[in-house]
Amino acid sequence: LSGDRKVEAFIDPQDEDTSVSVVFTPIPADYTRLNAFGGSGTLKSYLVPDDSSLISEKTYGETYTVSYETPNTEELKAKHVISVFSLRPAESVVGLTIQTPVERWLKVETELTPIVTSLKVKSD
């Protein structure tokens, strides 16, 4: 990725359409609160495509979680997506995204949901 951003991505060996990615993005020193990005409404508009169906969103402290499903298109299968963004004040934003085809979600939900809830970001 450009700048100092870093990404780690993992693909399910049993289904290449299922993936988990983690992105680390440096931020300016004056970004010390999640609402410095314009609040959760701005994050939602940045993360969730217009044609998607919002399932849930939650802000807890400096962590924002959104779950949605994308529609089926000629090019892509419908996906169930969960993204979590957590702020390390004046340092970075850590984003974790999980996506899998909608029809596979119920089969893997119990395996993938703990990944989302396990994200803990600590400031130095």
Side-chain angles (χ1 to χ4, degrees):
L1 297 175
S2 63
D4 291 330
R5 296 184 308 160
K6 297 176 184 157
V7 66
E8 294 286 336
F10 307 90
I11 297 173
D12 184 336
Q14 297 173 357
D15 178 11
E16 65 184 27
D17 287 332
T18 298
S19 65
V20 176
S21 62
V22 181
V23 178
F24 302 88
T25 304
I27 57 172
D30 59 340
Y31 281 59
T32 58
R33 309 252 336 137
L34 194 58
N35 65 7
F37 297 93
S40 63
T42 301
L43 286 173
K44 181 175 77 175
S45 65
Y46 172 73
L47 296 171
V48 181
D50 290 335
D51 58 350
S52 297
S53 300
L54 182 67
I55 296 169
S56 66
E57 68 176 322
K58 178 181 173 185
T59 302
Y60 180 77
E62 297 307 317
T63 298
Y64 174 72
T65 304
V66 64
S67 178
Y68 61 94
E69 290 184 353
T70 63
N72 235 355
T73 66
E74 288 182 20
E75 300 85 30
L76 299 170
K77 295 178 186 176
K79 297 272 183 135
H80 185 96
V81 181
I82 303 172
S83 288
V84 181
F85 276 71
S86 192
L87 181 70
R88 296 178 77 187
E91 187 178 320
S92 63
V93 172
V94 179
L96 176 130
T97 299
I98 293 174
Q99 62 179 353
T100 192
V102 169
E103 70 270 5
R104 189 164 189 254
W105 173 245
L106 290 178
K107 296 175 191 167
V108 297
E109 180 178 9
T110 57
E111 295 172 51
L112 297 180
T113 299
I115 296 170
V116 173
T117 57
S118 73
L119 180 69
K120 304 286 186 262
V121 177
K122 296 181 180 182
S123 298
D124 292 337

